[in-house]
Amino acid sequence: MNAKVKALINDQINKELYSAYLYLDFANYYETAGLDGFANWYQIQAQEERDHALLFYQYLQNNGETVTLEAVGKPEWERGDNMTPLKKALEHERYVTSLINGIYAAAYEIHDFRTMQLLDWFVKEQGEEEKNASDMITKMELFGGDSKGLYMLNNELKARVYSAPSLTL
Ligand code: FEO
């Protein structure tokens, strides 16, 4: 593989694991706040991020590349109210989209069609991730303002179940 593309994908493994860690800390926040539905949502989100990391890991392995696992950073966010993690999540997903686009641009430049095909899935996934994050903010704005609405929203989020990624390598 091209050294730059390989390095970017290796780095993305770390970035996805950091995302998992960040979302686990959001679940941690909501658990403490007594909002178990929100906690469930972010626990599942953390599982999805781990899946993303494993997909990049497996892609490098399948292509005979050496994977280097680096330290995962402490989740960086300032605690505020119940809306704070939701806004931070959208900001974070937009950042991850920029990273995926950066890898895509590097692969495109050297005509690495195989990597581009892998990344096509992630480009679509990022569209969904940003929409989900944005929808969470909208719902919180609409219904989170009073205790009854928050209770119902929490129950809705409690129903989310994990499903494995649609992409297999
Ligand atoms: Fe792995 Fe939420 O993007």
Side-chain angles (χ1 to χ4, degrees):
M1 278 181 76
N2 171 271
K4 184 182 171 187
V5 171
K6 188 246 156 168
L8 287 171
I9 293 175
N10 196 93
D11 195 43
Q12 194 62 29
I13 296 171
N14 187 271
K15 295 286 199 298
E16 300 290 345
L17 289 172
Y18 174 79
S19 300
Y21 211 30
L22 180 67
Y23 292 153
L24 186 61
D25 205 27
F26 290 173
N28 177 33
Y29 165 85
Y30 284 122
E31 199 81 55
T32 305
L35 290 166
D36 55 353
F38 285 77
N40 174 59
W41 175 277
Y42 279 109
Q43 282 222 16
I44 290 170
Q45 202 60 33
Q47 280 179 277
E48 285 197 356
E49 298 302 348
R50 180 179 168 275
D51 288 340
H52 295 167
L54 289 177
L55 285 167
F56 283 121
Y57 161 88
Q58 198 60 54
Y59 181 73
L60 288 183
Q61 289 285 2
N62 288 359
N63 284 279
E65 295 291 338
T66 308
V67 173
T68 307
L69 297 176
E70 304 289 353
V72 181
K74 182 181 177 189
E76 290 292 346
W77 65 289
E78 273 191 37
R79 293 182 179 223
D81 59 16
N82 293 332
M83 178 65 98
T84 305
L86 308 183
K87 291 206 165 155
K88 180 69 188 174
L90 179 57
E91 184 192 310
H92 185 69
E93 286 303 332
R94 285 176 176 157
Y95 166 64
V96 174
T97 297
S98 76
L99 295 175
I100 298 293
N101 289 347
I103 308 171
Y104 206 113
Y108 180 82
E109 204 178 313
I110 57 143
H111 294 180
D112 181 350
F113 301 114
R114 188 184 298 165
T115 298
M116 285 160 64
Q117 198 167 52
L118 169 81
L119 291 171
D120 281 338
W121 185 87
F122 279 94
V123 168
K124 189 161 174 281
E125 175 73 5
Q126 280 312 119
E128 289 171 15
E129 294 274 74
E130 282 188 39
K131 183 179 184 312
N132 285 341
S134 175
D135 286 352
M136 288 279 275
I137 292 169
T138 305
K139 283 182 184 179
M140 192 64 156
E141 280 170 350
L142 283 172
F143 311 117
D146 74 273
S147 54
K148 196 172 170 189
L150 186 62
Y151 180 76
M152 290 177 78
L153 184 54
N154 184 64
N155 276 348
E156 181 189 317
L157 298 177
K158 208 188 294 189
R160 185 185 186 189
V161 290
Y162 168 76
S163 63
S166 54
L167 177 69
T168 48
L169 296 176

